Amino acid sequence: MTDNQTAPRPFSGLRVVDFSTLIAGPYGTRYLADLGAEVIKIETPEGDYLRTQAPLRDGHSTYFGQLNCGKKSVALNLKDPDTIAELKKLIATADVLVENFRPGVMARFGLDFETLAALNPRLIYCSVSGFGQGGLGAGRPAYAQTIHATSGLELVNLRYQDELTRPANSCLFYADVLSAVYAFSAINAALYHREKTGKGQFIDVSLLESTMNLMPYDVQEAQFPAPISRPVYKPVRSSDGFVILMPNTQRNFVQMVQAMGHPEWAEDERFCDVMARYNNYPALLAQLETWTMQHTSVECEEILTAASVPCARYRTIAEALEDPLFAERGAFQTVSDPAGEYLVTNLPFKMSQAETAAVPTVSEVGEYKLSDFL
């Protein structure tokens, strides 16, 4: 293995002009910065809205920093024709442009793909939007939560709950993060394609389709309804919280009941094979809970993991952050802004010949000028 502290970053020398705001676009371009790209973040003089969002320390948002570390901020008025003319000079030197305005906005600025591709035929131009750049949904406003509702994601989740009478409150931005990952992936593919052809291209990423890709089983089951609903792995109570048990295979199930001291459960006709357990899943969970309730969550996890049974206790994020596994993996990077230091997640992969950790700085609004890059 190469010492990654001194290894090069794969996209060193790549220039990215980033017009995106909030989550979907900025997270994708942060991944490019992690891999060494020079990401020039174009902001209004007021800055990206997320700069104002908690958690805040001395007016500096760590939420913003998680999504934008490693970039270089340039504050511009995009309604000024002279500014647009200077921007076009910058984009003529760029490899990638990313934007997540509502469709049509970049064209009104004179920064649409056709115009810019004429200036820079090698430009890879990635647009991220709720419903895609054309067609019936293009003009619809979209945020992650509305996409979750539109895609069916929230009612899929509701279908598998025991007690909810309405869709769960929406607090995680699946659509945004998935779209960031798909934009990042598409840009990588387009860069490879450009190596072979010398040509840039336009990429159209939609939050709606990104979210649909999260649900392969449910997309198929909606077309071909199953006679019996699939079993859903549910939390079971421990003496001090909850754990989840995943005895997927017959071997796992036998290992689990032996570790619990109840090998006879494997002989019970209701649980003796996969199909029997499939048809009697609520009864099985009730039986398993008679054992888990006698143990703490930590004890359940330790006993069953030692028996090679997939099991996990439910932890808070704060508890998870203390897991030594993350330190061992180098899963977090310490970054800094004028208010101090904090941790952000790194890309969830390592490369033997390249550095992939987040760049440990967060640019202030307008810290750089266009002239710095021309």
Side-chain angles (χ1 to χ4, degrees), residues 59-170:
H60 296 273
S61 170
T62 61
Y63 189 12
F64 173 86
Q66 164 98 17
L67 300 169
N68 291 281
C69 57
K71 303 177 186 179
K72 300 175 179 179
S73 171
V74 176
L76 299 174
N77 175 11
L78 297 183
K79 296 179 181 179
D80 175 28
D82 292 337
T83 295
I84 295 298
E86 290 299 298
L87 260 176
K88 287 180 178 178
K89 294 178 184 178
L90 172 67
I91 294 167
T93 71
D95 297 285
V96 178
L97 181 150
V98 179
E99 62 90 14
N100 64 348
F101 291 114
R102 193 180 298 190
V105 171
M106 288 291 277
R108 291 200 293 274
F109 291 141
L111 298 173
D112 54 283
F113 173 68
E114 289 74 16
T115 298
L116 298 180
L119 299 174
N120 182 357
R122 289 174 56 83
L123 181 68
I124 294 165
Y125 188 119
C126 180
S127 291
V128 182
S129 62
F131 299 92
Q133 294 297 303
L136 297 175
R140 291 181 61 179
Y143 287 100
Q145 294 91 336
T146 59
I147 293 295
H148 297 167
T150 300
S151 68
L153 173 69
E154 298 292 8
L155 290 186
V156 162
N157 187 48
L158 178 63
R159 172 187 174 189
Y160 295 120
Q161 307 309 310
D162 293 329
E163 299 172 2
L164 292 180
T165 57
R166 66 176 67 193
N169 296 339
S170 187

Side-chain angles (χ1 to χ4, degrees), residues 29-44:
T29 51
R30 201 215 91 175
Y31 300 150
L32 296 172
D34 290 356
L35 297 182
E38 178 187 50
V39 179
I40 303 167
K41 183 175 177 68
I42 307 300
E43 301 186 66
T44 64

Side-chain angles (χ1 to χ4, degrees), residues 24-314:
Y27 223 177
T29 51
R30 201 215 91 175
Y31 300 150
L32 296 172
D34 290 356
L35 297 182
E38 178 187 50
V39 179
I40 303 167
K41 183 175 177 68
I42 307 300
E43 301 186 66
T44 64
E46 296 77 25
D48 190 320
Y49 171 72
L50 280 191
R51 286 187 182 272
T52 67
Q53 297 305 292
L56 291 164
R57 306 112 58 252
D58 297 332
H60 296 273
S61 170
T62 61
Y63 189 12
F64 173 86
Q66 164 98 17
L67 300 169
N68 291 281
C69 57
K71 303 177 186 179
K72 300 175 179 179
S73 171
V74 176
L76 299 174
N77 175 11
L78 297 183
K79 296 179 181 179
D80 175 28
D82 292 337
T83 295
I84 295 298
E86 290 299 298
L87 260 176
K88 287 180 178 178
K89 294 178 184 178
L90 172 67
I91 294 167
T93 71
D95 297 285
V96 178
L97 181 150
V98 179
E99 62 90 14
N100 64 348
F101 291 114
R102 193 180 298 190
V105 171
M106 288 291 277
R108 291 200 293 274
F109 291 141
L111 298 173
D112 54 283
F113 173 68
E114 289 74 16
T115 298
L116 298 180
L119 299 174
N120 182 357
R122 289 174 56 83
L123 181 68
I124 294 165
Y125 188 119
C126 180
S127 291
V128 182
S129 62
F131 299 92
Q133 294 297 303
L136 297 175
R140 291 181 61 179
Y143 287 100
Q145 294 91 336
T146 59
I147 293 295
H148 297 167
T150 300
S151 68
L153 173 69
E154 298 292 8
L155 290 186
V156 162
N157 187 48
L158 178 63
R159 172 187 174 189
Y160 295 120
Q161 307 309 310
D162 293 329
E163 299 172 2
L164 292 180
T165 57
R166 66 176 67 193
N169 296 339
S170 187
C171 60
L172 298 176
F173 301 95
Y174 301 112
D176 284 329
V177 176
L178 281 169
S179 298
V181 172
Y182 286 125
F184 173 68
S185 300
I187 290 167
N188 275 270
L191 287 167
Y192 180 70
H193 183 264
R194 191 179 72 179
E195 284 298 304
K196 296 193 295 182
T197 66
K199 298 179 180 178
Q201 61 184 295
F202 181 72
I203 298 168
D204 176 358
V205 179
S206 86
L207 273 69
L208 181 63
E209 290 163 281
S210 296
T211 305
M212 295 299 286
N213 274 271
L214 186 62
M215 304 178 286
Y217 171 85
D218 299 284
V219 166
Q220 295 307 314
E221 204 271 338
Q223 300 172 76
F224 310 103
I228 302 174
S229 181
R230 63 172 172 167
V232 178
Y233 291 99
K234 302 177 182 180
V236 293
R237 289 188 180 276
S238 66
S239 65
D240 64 350
F242 296 92
V243 295
I244 191 160
L245 311 174
M246 298 283 291
N248 273 331
T249 66
Q250 185 66 18
R251 180 183 179 189
N252 268 165
F253 181 74
V254 171
Q255 290 170 321
M256 180 182 68
V257 296
Q258 288 176 342
M260 289 177 169
H262 289 283
E264 72 277 7
W265 290 349
E267 305 301 323
D268 190 316
E269 63 180 11
R270 297 172 299 168
F271 316 136
C272 61
D273 58 37
V274 173
M275 188 54 66
R277 293 192 292 276
Y278 189 98
N279 291 321
N280 294 281
Y281 192 61
L284 174 61
L285 282 184
Q287 192 81 291
L288 298 178
E289 202 165 72
T290 64
W291 180 85
T292 59
M293 283 286 289
Q294 300 174 36
H295 301 274
T296 67
S297 296
V298 169
E299 289 170 344
C300 291
E301 188 176 60
E302 290 177 347
I303 292 168
L304 295 177
T305 299
S308 297
V309 178
C311 169
R313 62 188 173 97
Y314 285 76

